Amino acid sequence: MSGNAGRGRRGSRGRKAARVLLAVTPLVVTLIAVAARAAAAAKLALVAALRQAAAAPHQAMTATRTAAARLGDLAAPLRAVISRPPPGPLFKPGIWRSPLRGQWLTSLLGLVLLCGLPIVALTGLLSYAAYDPRLPGNDQTPGAPLLKFFLFSWPTQPSWLYRVDQATHITLGLALLPVVLAKLWSVLPKLFSWPPTRSPAHALERLSLVMIVGGVLFEGATGILNIQNFYVVPSFYTAHLYGGWVFIAGLITHVILKFPRMRAGLRSRSLRRELRTPLSRTRPENPDPAGLRALSPAAPTLSRRGLLAAVGGASLMLAGLEVGQSIGGWTRWTALFGPRGLSVAQSGSLPVNRTAASIGLTDADVGEAYRLTLVGTRTMTLTREQVLALPQHTVVLPIACVEGWSAAASWTGVRLADLAQLAGIRRPALARVESLERAGSFRRADLSGTQVSDPRSLLALQVNGADLPRDHGYPARTIIPNVPGVHNTKWVSKITFMEAV
Amino acid sequence: MTRVIARIRRWYGAHPLHLLALLAAFALGGYAVRAVVAAGQWQIYALWFLVAIVGHDLLLFPLYSLADLSLRRLLPWRGGGASTAPNRVANPLPPVINHLRVPAGFSLLLLLVWFPLILRLSSSAYHRASGLTAAPYLWRWLAVTGVMFLASAVGYALRLRHAAVKSSPPNGHRPESGLNRERGRGLPTGGTCHTGHVCPSARERDRGGAPDATSCASDDRCISATAGVGLTFGPDPPRLKERRRRRPGSEAIRDLARLRIIPEMSGKCPRRSS
């Protein structure tokens, strides 16, 4: 515990530990670097300002200069740590040897993502609007009122809109996953570039990458897990919606800052020529200002067009083995991995979300004792036979799930508008539909006036000419054009209509 | 005004608009995060977000690059890539590596996306939701994987056949040995080698062992590439004979001489340091 040697050893061990720690967390270093840089910059600015103010008293100037110098001294050891790369092979620039990395490849992948990801983001936001979250009981995602600026009354026309929107969201999202991975691979050496930051601007820019990289993979992961009912992330809607906004923030900034570089990168080579270049003539790209090209590229084992074909092929494979569950018909047989694809085709029935068994529905619930309650200016209680005795209508409408799958069917039942009339409501502004389900986020749904008044909106009793299967909501369910599947409430027990004021 | 901007540029490192764009992005992101925090359970989201940030760079990338490196070391022919043992130069088959990489990569990608169904991690929730069973997904994945490998193998067989047809001389004359594959249409021209580089130290390779991985692999590849590209038969080229005399212990040179690589095809790259 005494002697300079002991302190020195401890000191050097401490610095070593600090370097190893910093190696694991370049972001922390980035922050420290910002602080150091800011301190140094503050010192510079202070000194410069004081120099300009020549009339200021000499004493005060000296005092401030001393203070500024002390600030600089504080930053010096931090800068010393940063100036040396941490141990480990990843931080040696020579380790990255792929001859295919370069600004052209990164720019091309970036362009594909620039075309695709905004579509995925917009279809996602549209899907949120489709839930009509401004109606009192519909918003699954509390908070952030400013981010709901774009919401509008979701239309019932065209009836296929939600179906196409979600099919695009899920299928395109899956198809872009290989492109995202390839893009991350193409810029991977930049993660380990040293020093971690050149300026406060560079540090902030790197920090903003947390939003785009974390955002895109968070959104991908939560979405992919949710469509398979793998509920390891709680309250999917909140996570996926606000994760999406974080991603959008990152994406917009990244595009603004990198667009000129992407354009230059794309112009550095010709796509047509690359597509004609076999492996034997594949050469590394020219060095670029961003340093994406390897310092000493290895010999290629794959041509550039081969890499593009592999990425594109992977995208087509992921999309192709899934999209059948959204298109339906014979294509459902091709959806080997769509959760409502081939398996549903084999079962020969309509796809289901939430079985009767899963909500604990009993025979007593749906048997003779079943009653439908209508509430308006008067309250009515109807048996299923009484509902069947009302005027029946048949419509062909799709049910489309937020998870991407969908299927059209022919539904027969009573118009919601007729039921509103029965309850004494002539111009309905809102209807709250409640289910026999005792728990769960979607045991009730609020419908807008437009949705209730649409002549195709039914309380359906039959599907495809037969009584509803219990998994599809026997004794009665609603079917509304162009809404998310969960808003077609199953096992309907009560509908409350409200008059427009 | 320009002086102020210049000063900001000096200490910040970019135009002030750059700062403005970033601050706007952080404000938007922060506002969204605030809503999540207010909704509770933000810790688990933060954890997931962190996992997502490092998910590719620090988890997936090390796994797939390790797998790729191992594959390249294991492959018995030079088309596979990194192996440097001289006796492996002799096999002039078309490279097989991408016929393994592509089906393996596609299969792993399917697993990465659909693992909850394939590994039946969500089977009970999936059954409750859909009334279906997750049992078939494992078999479908195995089947798709099998089909992809099969298709890749068929593709490779077709390439082999194509190469064999192209290598047989038009007049029906056949050499005593099969070592007559000419895949030389994409030969390097000019002063650079196959990789587009001037080889840094051919001398190291000439010593016979594996070249230094960071400084000279392109040089090493140069030999392998030319070996795969232009094999023929004939007397030893005089230059190689002379080299062999000068460095009698060099395995690589003996190997080259045994293969009788045509000098104008092979000489581009290693010539520089000799």
Side-chain angles (χ1 to χ4, degrees):
Chain A
M1 284 296 148
S2 64
N4 286 338
R7 267 205 295 277
R9 243 201 326 272
R10 274 202 306 277
S12 82
R13 215 180 296 150
R15 271 199 298 279
K16 208 173 194 175
R19 280 219 307 280
V20 174
L21 254 178
L22 291 175
V24 189
T25 53
L27 275 175
V28 176
V29 180
T30 308
L31 283 173
I32 296 171
V34 179
R37 190 65 194 241
K43 181 194 101 180
L44 279 177
L46 219 64
V47 172
L50 284 171
R51 264 184 199 153
Q52 278 184 354
H58 181 73
Q59 230 175 354
M61 203 160 151
T62 331
T64 322
R65 266 188 187 158
T66 324
R70 258 192 228 122
L71 267 176
D73 285 344
L74 277 174
L78 289 170
R79 276 205 299 269
V81 171
I82 292 160
S83 65
R84 288 161 64 185
L90 292 174
F91 290 90
K92 294 193 178 96
I95 191 87
W96 307 102
R97 305 215 44 212
S98 170
L100 299 187
R101 284 202 185 95
Q103 58 173 351
W104 182 80
L105 182 72
T106 298
S107 302
L108 185 67
L109 295 171
L111 179 67
V112 173
L113 293 177
L114 177 58
C115 297
L117 286 176
I119 297 177
V120 179
L122 283 178
T123 49
L125 291 177
L126 268 186
S127 171
Y128 177 56
Y131 280 80
D132 267 321
R134 294 186 303 176
L135 299 182
N138 281 0
D139 200 353
Q140 304 282 327
T141 58
L146 293 182
L147 294 183
K148 310 191 174 185
F149 66 92
F150 67 94
L151 294 178
F152 51 97
S153 183
W154 187 250
T156 52
Q157 286 278 23
S159 62
W160 45 260
L161 180 62
Y162 189 72
R163 185 183 197 185
V164 172
D165 183 81
Q166 268 324 91
T168 311
H169 185 71
I170 304 289
T171 307
L172 188 58
L174 279 176
L176 288 178
L177 179 72
V179 189
V180 168
L181 293 180
K183 176 79 161 53
L184 288 176
W185 171 83
S186 81
V187 295
L188 189 56
K190 302 303 293 169
L191 181 67
F192 299 99
S193 64
W194 204 267
T197 173
R198 297 185 303 268
S199 64
H202 184 225
L204 272 184
E205 204 175 310
R206 290 196 75 180
L207 197 63
S208 78
L209 292 180
V210 168
M211 293 196 289
I212 189 169
V213 177
V216 74
L217 293 183
F218 180 80
E219 291 298 276
T222 49
I224 284 170
L225 298 182
N226 187 67
I227 61 176
Q228 299 170 75
N229 311 100
F230 193 42
Y231 301 124
V232 283
V233 183
S235 42
F236 165 75
Y237 286 89
T238 310
H240 205 64
L241 177 69
Y242 292 121
W245 276 110
V246 172
F247 166 70
I248 288 171
L251 179 70
I252 293 175
T253 327
H254 193 65
V255 171
I256 291 175
L257 298 183
K258 296 292 187 192
F259 193 82
R261 187 164 278 179
M262 181 186 82
R263 212 167 50 178
L266 287 171
R267 283 177 182 169
S268 69
R269 296 176 94 81
S270 145
L271 176 65
R272 195 171 298 170
R273 193 169 303 153
E274 285 304 331
L275 293 180
R276 289 185 192 139
T277 307
L279 175 61
S280 57
R281 281 190 280 124
T282 300
R283 304 280 181 276
E285 289 190 26
N286 292 329
D288 54 287
L292 290 168
R293 200 200 78 155
L295 280 179
S296 55
T301 53
L302 180 63
S303 63
R304 214 164 270 116
R305 67 177 180 182
L307 180 70
L308 295 179
V311 173
S315 293
L316 284 179
M317 173 197 66
L318 281 183
L321 292 178
E322 184 272 339
V323 73
Q325 68 168 352
S326 310
I327 300 172
W330 65 267
T331 61
R332 204 177 288 281
W333 290 90
T334 66
L336 267 63
F337 289 95
R340 302 294 191 288
L342 175 59
S343 291
V344 167
Q346 285 168 333
S347 77
S349 55
L350 267 183
V352 170
N353 182 30
R354 288 210 317 301
T355 56
S358 74
I359 64 153
L361 203 71
T362 62
D363 291 345
D365 290 331
V366 298
E368 288 297 310
Y370 170 79
R371 294 291 181 276
L372 171 71
T373 309
L374 301 177
V375 181
T377 53
R378 56 176 173 261
T379 302
M380 297 185 73
T381 316
L382 305 171
T383 63
R384 192 169 189 273
E385 282 66 39
Q386 286 172 317
V387 181
L388 267 171
L390 295 170
Q392 302 288 307
H393 299 269
T394 299
V395 293
V396 175
L397 282 178
I399 40 169
C401 186
V402 70
E403 293 163 10
W405 54 267
S406 56
S410 160
W411 309 89
T412 305
V414 188
R415 279 183 181 151
L416 286 184
D418 294 350
L419 294 177
Q421 293 276 340
L422 271 181
I425 304 292
R426 258 173 288 161
R427 289 186 301 127
L430 184 78
R432 173 161 296 176
V433 185
E434 290 168 75
S435 168
L436 291 169
E437 248 181 302
R438 289 161 192 89
S441 317
F442 295 105
R443 70 181 189 280
R444 63 161 205 221
D446 283 358
L447 302 176
S448 68
T450 321
Q451 287 166 338
V452 179
S453 312
D454 193 292
R456 294 166 300 164
S457 296
L458 302 183
L459 180 73
L461 303 169
Q462 295 180 315
V463 61
N464 293 336
D467 271 355
L468 286 170
R470 201 179 279 193
D471 281 345
H472 266 294
Y474 182 88
R477 76 172 299 171
T478 53
I479 182 82
I480 321 288
N482 197 30
V483 293
V486 285
H487 276 193
N488 296 317
T489 309
K490 297 195 276 192
W491 314 291
V492 172
S493 64
K494 183 180 175 188
I495 307 178
T496 310
F497 296 97
M498 278 164 233
E499 186 87 60
V501 246
Chain B
M1 188 62 193
T2 40
R3 263 177 53 199
V4 174
I5 288 178
R7 193 168 296 164
I8 292 174
R9 261 183 188 281
R10 204 164 49 237
W11 75 261
Y12 174 63
H15 195 277
L17 283 176
H18 181 275
L19 180 63
L20 201 68
L22 281 170
L23 288 182
F26 287 125
L28 176 55
Y31 183 68
V33 168
R34 203 192 61 109
V36 176
V37 172
Q41 295 178 319
W42 62 272
Q43 293 92 341
I44 194 155
Y45 296 140
L47 182 71
W48 269 91
F49 213 80
L50 284 178
V51 171
I53 292 167
V54 299
H56 171 263
D57 294 355
L58 300 184
L59 294 176
L60 283 184
F61 171 75
L63 288 176
Y64 69 68
S65 59
L66 198 68
D68 192 52
L69 274 177
S70 322
L71 183 67
R72 280 152 67 174
R73 298 241 176 239
L74 281 173
L75 283 183
W77 42 100
R78 299 300 303 249
S83 173
T84 50
N87 59 354
R88 291 180 178 180
V89 173
N91 201 329
L93 296 170
V96 75
I97 176 110
N98 294 323
H99 288 269
L100 294 171
R101 269 176 178 165
V102 169
F106 279 31
S107 167
L108 289 175
L109 193 64
L110 277 177
L111 183 63
L112 177 73
V113 171
W114 300 109
F115 74 91
L117 285 178
I118 291 171
L119 305 178
R120 294 171 209 179
L121 298 177
S122 63
S123 55
S124 65
Y126 177 66
H127 180 69
R128 277 200 306 279
S130 65
L132 303 167
T133 160
Y137 289 97
L138 175 65
W139 304 113
R140 287 179 201 168
W141 178 63
L142 290 173
V144 170
T145 302
V147 167
M148 286 191 300
F149 272 99
L150 195 69
S152 184
V154 169
Y156 187 63
L158 289 177
R159 269 181 77 185
L160 280 184
R161 196 182 139 84
H162 188 65
V165 167
K166 273 173 76 178
S167 68
S168 55
N171 58 4
H173 165 76
R174 297 189 74 82
E176 287 105 350
S177 160
L179 274 178
N180 191 27
R181 295 177 196 282
E182 296 244 49
R183 299 196 294 116
R185 287 196 302 177
L187 277 178
T189 52
T192 56
C193 78
H194 176 78
T195 63
H197 274 263
V198 178
C199 296
S201 70
R203 194 173 293 126
E204 226 175 319
R205 181 214 67 238
D206 287 352
R207 282 192 211 114
D212 175 63
T214 52
S215 72
C216 192
S218 54
D219 181 25
D220 163 59
R221 301 304 180 75
C222 198
I223 292 183
S224 73
T226 42
V229 151
L231 294 179
T232 185
F233 295 88
D236 272 4
R239 189 185 304 278
L240 283 178
K241 264 186 184 165
E242 194 213 328
R243 270 218 205 159
R244 187 166 46 162
R245 193 170 46 72
R246 273 202 318 215
R247 293 198 191 87
S250 162
E251 274 179 57
I253 294 297
R254 260 188 300 172
D255 202 56
L256 282 173
R258 188 161 46 80
L259 289 171
R260 290 169 189 145
I261 291 172
I262 300 174
E264 59 267 30
M265 284 185 175
S266 66
K268 299 272 193 296
C269 188
R271 193 182 294 159
R272 187 167 167 264
S273 68
S274 59

